[in-house]
């Protein structure tokens, strides 16, 4: 009976996995089809019989060639997106480490209230803070600049909440030993706290990267120049304008987040397990 139950669970998990991988397989397989066939499949040209013949065993790299060697806009927007998201990740984690250390190890009057406000801000959807953010960015003359995307992302409350929960569990004896040896608070943070928080920090960086890598609403509202848009907005316009290279763009767009998850898989798994126990 137990073996039957395990077998049914295995089949269920395999079915869910196949359903999750189906969109990726669909995109990758269509990225290897020639431009003429993609146009035939997704336009009104050709009859239904022709569209049923999709050449499953033919492999062409026309889409990738056009993107990498004949479409400078894609590469420009790709590196523009890397700059934006990289700035957000580095900036938010720098603020989060300092703020989380202060909230967890240096209690002050009103610290709990302030942290509660952080949690409320994290739970609020982007649409709630849209108007205040727009007004502030306009006053700072940051609209239609990449700073309008980086600055709000740096001061997001997610990283602070994520790290604070773990830092509260660090034994105070480790910190007191460092103070007795003459280390200042900055030295303790850099030499003791941050190495102990490595899985949590890596997990937070991966989650933040994936979240902002696919952002669409912020750039559409805060930026009006197409050349300053991230790649996520550019991909949304390919379905109507350049469907014949859209699949290859999507595949290349997925590579960097997948590599980040694979590279930090162990730390991400450990970090999520630790935070789930808090």
């Amino acid at each position: 009976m137990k073996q039957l139950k395990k077998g049914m669970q295995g089949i269920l998990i395999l079915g869910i996995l196949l359903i999750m991988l189906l969109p990726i397989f669909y995109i990758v397989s269509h990225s290897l089809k020639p431009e003429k066939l993609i146009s035939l499949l997704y336009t009104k040209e050709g009859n239904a019989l022709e569209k049923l013949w999709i050449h499953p065993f033919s492999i062409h790299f026309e889409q990738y060639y056009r993107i990498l060697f004949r479409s400078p806009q894609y590469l420009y927007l790709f590196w523009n997106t890397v700059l934006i998201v990289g700035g957000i990740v580095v900036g938010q984690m720098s603020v989060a480490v300092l703020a989380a250390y202060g909230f967890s190890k240096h209690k002050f009057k009103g610290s709990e209230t302030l942290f509660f406000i952080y949690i409320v801000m994290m739970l609020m959807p982007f649409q709630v803070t849209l108007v205040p953010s727009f007004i502030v960015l306009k006053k700072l003359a940051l609209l239609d600049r990449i700073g309008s995307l980086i600055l709000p992302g740096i001061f997001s409350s997610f990283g602070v909440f994520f790290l604070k929960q773990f830092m509260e569990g660090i034994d105070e004896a480790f910190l007191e030993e460092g103070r007795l040896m003459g280390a200042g608070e900055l030295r303790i943070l850099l030499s003791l706290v941050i190495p102990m928080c490595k899985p949590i920090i890596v997990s937070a960086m991966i989650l933040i990267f994936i979240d902002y890598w696919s952002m669409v609403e912020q750039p559409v509202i805060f930026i009006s120049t197409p050349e300053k848009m991230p790649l996520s907005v550019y991909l949304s316009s390919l379905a109507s304008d350049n469907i014949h290279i859209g699949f290859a763009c999507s595949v290349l767009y997925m590579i960097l987040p997948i590599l980040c998850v694979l590279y930090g898989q162990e730390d991400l798994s450990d970090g999520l397990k630790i935070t789930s126990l808090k």
Side-chain angles (χ1 to χ4, degrees), residues 225-236:
T225 304
E227 289 75 16
K228 298 178 182 179
M229 291 284 189
L231 196 57
S232 53
V233 179
Y234 174 70
L235 288 178
S236 64

Side-chain angles (χ1 to χ4, degrees), residues 9-27:
Q9 290 177 347
I11 294 174
L12 179 61
I13 294 173
L14 180 61
I16 295 174
L17 179 62
L18 291 176
I19 293 174
M20 295 176 63
L21 292 177
L22 183 61
I24 298 177
F25 173 77
Y26 181 86
I27 293 174

Side-chain angles (χ1 to χ4, degrees), residues 176-242:
E176 288 297 332
E177 185 177 351
R179 295 187 183 102
L180 291 175
M181 295 178 64
E185 293 299 325
L186 183 60
R187 181 66 180 273
I188 291 174
L189 176 63
L190 296 176
S191 301
L192 293 177
V193 177
I194 291 181
M196 295 174 68
C197 295
K198 179 178 175 290
I200 305 296
I201 293 175
V202 174
S203 301
M205 292 179 68
I206 293 174
L207 295 175
I208 293 169
F209 179 89
I210 294 175
D211 182 31
Y212 284 95
W213 184 256
S214 58
M215 63 178 171
V216 175
E217 293 177 322
Q218 297 95 319
V220 169
I221 295 170
F222 297 147
I223 294 181
S224 56
T225 304
E227 289 75 16
K228 298 178 182 179
M229 291 284 189
L231 196 57
S232 53
V233 179
Y234 174 70
L235 288 178
S236 64
S237 65
L238 287 176
S240 57
D241 300 331
N242 299 287

Side-chain angles (χ1 to χ4, degrees), residues 45-58:
E45 301 176 4
N47 53 49
L49 183 61
E50 289 177 322
K51 293 186 178 184
L52 289 175
W53 180 249
I54 58 174
H55 298 281
F57 301 107
S58 62

Side-chain angles (χ1 to χ4, degrees), residues 1-276:
M1 187 66 181
K2 291 183 179 180
Q3 293 181 349
L4 179 61
K5 186 178 180 180
K6 289 182 179 180
M8 294 297 293
Q9 290 177 347
I11 294 174
L12 179 61
I13 294 173
L14 180 61
I16 295 174
L17 179 62
L18 291 176
I19 293 174
M20 295 176 63
L21 292 177
L22 183 61
I24 298 177
F25 173 77
Y26 181 86
I27 293 174
V28 173
S29 62
H30 278 64
S31 70
L32 298 174
K33 299 185 186 302
E35 176 184 341
K36 183 178 180 181
L37 183 57
I38 294 296
S39 300
L40 184 66
L41 290 171
Y42 293 93
T43 61
K44 296 181 180 180
E45 301 176 4
N47 53 49
L49 183 61
E50 289 177 322
K51 293 186 178 184
L52 289 175
W53 180 249
I54 58 174
H55 298 281
F57 301 107
S58 62
I59 297 178
H60 299 266
F61 295 95
E62 294 180 16
Q63 295 188 52
Y64 294 100
Y65 175 78
R66 291 194 58 176
I67 293 172
L68 297 176
F69 300 102
R70 301 184 63 183
S71 299
Q73 183 182 11
Y74 177 87
L75 295 177
Y76 177 82
L77 294 178
F78 174 83
W79 290 113
N80 188 48
T81 307
V82 171
L83 175 63
I84 293 172
V85 179
I88 292 174
V89 172
V90 174
Q92 185 176 151
M93 291 311 302
S94 300
V95 173
V97 168
L98 296 173
Y101 181 66
F103 277 124
S104 60
K105 297 303 177 184
H106 296 277
K107 302 294 184 179
F108 53 91
K109 186 177 181 180
S111 61
E112 295 297 329
T113 303
L114 183 58
F115 185 69
F116 176 76
I117 295 174
Y118 259 79
I119 296 177
V120 172
M121 293 299 297
M122 185 181 68
L123 296 177
M124 284 186 178
F126 169 72
Q127 292 79 4
V128 175
T129 59
L130 172 60
V131 174
S133 299
F134 187 88
I135 294 173
V136 171
L137 292 172
K138 185 176 182 180
K139 293 291 185 180
L140 295 175
L142 288 176
L143 289 179
D144 200 26
R145 298 183 181 182
I146 62 174
S148 63
L149 303 178
I150 296 177
L151 188 62
I154 288 177
F155 295 100
S156 174
S157 56
F158 171 76
V160 179
F161 173 79
F162 204 71
L163 292 177
K164 191 250 185 186
Q165 306 307 308
F166 177 79
M167 288 186 181
E168 282 188 336
I170 297 178
D171 193 346
E172 192 68 26
F174 290 105
L175 309 184
E176 288 297 332
E177 185 177 351
R179 295 187 183 102
L180 291 175
M181 295 178 64
E185 293 299 325
L186 183 60
R187 181 66 180 273
I188 291 174
L189 176 63
L190 296 176
S191 301
L192 293 177
V193 177
I194 291 181
M196 295 174 68
C197 295
K198 179 178 175 290
I200 305 296
I201 293 175
V202 174
S203 301
M205 292 179 68
I206 293 174
L207 295 175
I208 293 169
F209 179 89
I210 294 175
D211 182 31
Y212 284 95
W213 184 256
S214 58
M215 63 178 171
V216 175
E217 293 177 322
Q218 297 95 319
V220 169
I221 295 170
F222 297 147
I223 294 181
S224 56
T225 304
E227 289 75 16
K228 298 178 182 179
M229 291 284 189
L231 196 57
S232 53
V233 179
Y234 174 70
L235 288 178
S236 64
S237 65
L238 287 176
S240 57
D241 300 331
N242 299 287
I243 187 63
H244 50 280
I245 63 171
F247 292 102
C249 287
S250 299
V251 172
L252 295 176
Y253 184 71
M254 292 188 298
I255 290 177
L256 197 54
I258 292 175
L259 290 177
C260 289
V261 173
L262 292 177
Y263 178 76
Q265 182 178 8
E266 184 176 351
D267 289 325
L268 180 61
S269 178
D270 293 340
L272 294 177
K273 287 179 182 178
I274 293 172
T275 52
S276 66

